[in-house]
Amino acid sequence: LQTGLTANNINKKQILLLQTIQIFMMGIGCLFLGSIPAAIINGFSCVRNMLAYHDKLNRNSKMVLIALCTSCSLTFNNIGIWGIFPIISSILFVIFIDTKDVSKFKQLEIVSTSLWLAHDIHILAYSAVVFDILTIVTNAVAFTQLKQNKLIKA
């Protein structure tokens, strides 16, 4: 659901709420599939989205989130390099989440979700892989349509 709404450029706050629900469910799945760092990152991502939703995600809160998320995830990383991909994705997302440029936000979604895709394939999270692919494709299509309509700069 969030994937399709993101591509249609719905209100950013609505996207954040729907994404938070999706992230929470994916975090539970990561726990069941044994990816502790991804579950930790998903928990911090829910906090990040709620801070962003309430316009409380400022430079200081971003730095704290990045530090806590990275240190906790690295400490409990039980899947090697595959546990690093969600960390990189989370750092990128936290840094650029408040961008006003629709083009950059679409690109952020594509890059960060691609990192999650590699992780989800490794842990055999098939439902997450489907969501990842849908998110990447819909954001790529939306980005291309916006670019063709010259609504954004490429």
Side-chain angles (χ1 to χ4, degrees):
L1 181 61
Q2 176 262 336
T3 302
L5 294 175
T6 302
N8 290 323
N9 199 21
I10 297 238
N11 179 310
K12 194 171 180 179
K13 287 194 177 226
Q14 292 171 326
I15 293 169
L16 287 169
L17 282 176
L18 292 169
Q19 186 185 52
T20 301
I21 294 166
Q22 179 184 352
I23 289 169
F24 179 77
M25 291 187 295
M26 295 298 187
I28 292 170
C30 288
L31 275 178
F32 284 123
L33 293 170
S35 180
I36 295 170
I40 291 169
I41 289 167
N42 281 321
F44 280 110
S45 293
C46 289
V47 171
R48 173 205 66 212
N49 281 11
M50 289 298 90
L51 288 171
Y53 180 84
H54 294 290
D55 297 320
K56 302 288 185 195
L57 190 62
N58 55 38
R59 181 184 163 119
N60 290 337
S61 62
K62 284 181 175 185
M63 290 171 46
V64 169
L65 275 173
I66 289 172
L68 286 173
C69 180
T70 302
S71 62
C72 289
S73 297
L74 287 174
T75 300
F76 295 101
N77 184 5
N78 60 334
I79 57 173
I81 189 72
W82 304 103
I84 303 298
F85 291 151
I87 296 169
I88 296 168
S89 174
S90 180
I91 291 170
L92 289 172
F93 210 86
V94 168
I95 291 170
F96 296 109
I97 192 172
D98 53 2
T99 183
K100 304 292 185 229
D101 185 337
V102 176
S103 168
K104 286 188 173 80
F105 195 73
K106 298 295 182 197
Q107 292 170 332
L108 173 63
E109 284 279 346
I110 293 166
V111 170
S112 64
T113 305
S114 295
L115 291 165
W116 274 101
L117 176 62
H119 166 270
D120 292 339
I121 289 170
H122 176 74
I123 67 166
L124 307 177
Y126 300 120
S127 61
V129 168
V130 171
F131 276 106
D132 295 341
I133 291 169
L134 289 172
T135 300
I136 292 166
V137 169
T138 55
N139 279 287
V141 167
F143 176 77
T144 302
Q145 288 173 344
L146 289 169
K147 185 177 171 185
Q148 287 174 348
N149 292 332
K150 301 198 189 285
L151 295 176
I152 59 173
K153 294 179 184 176

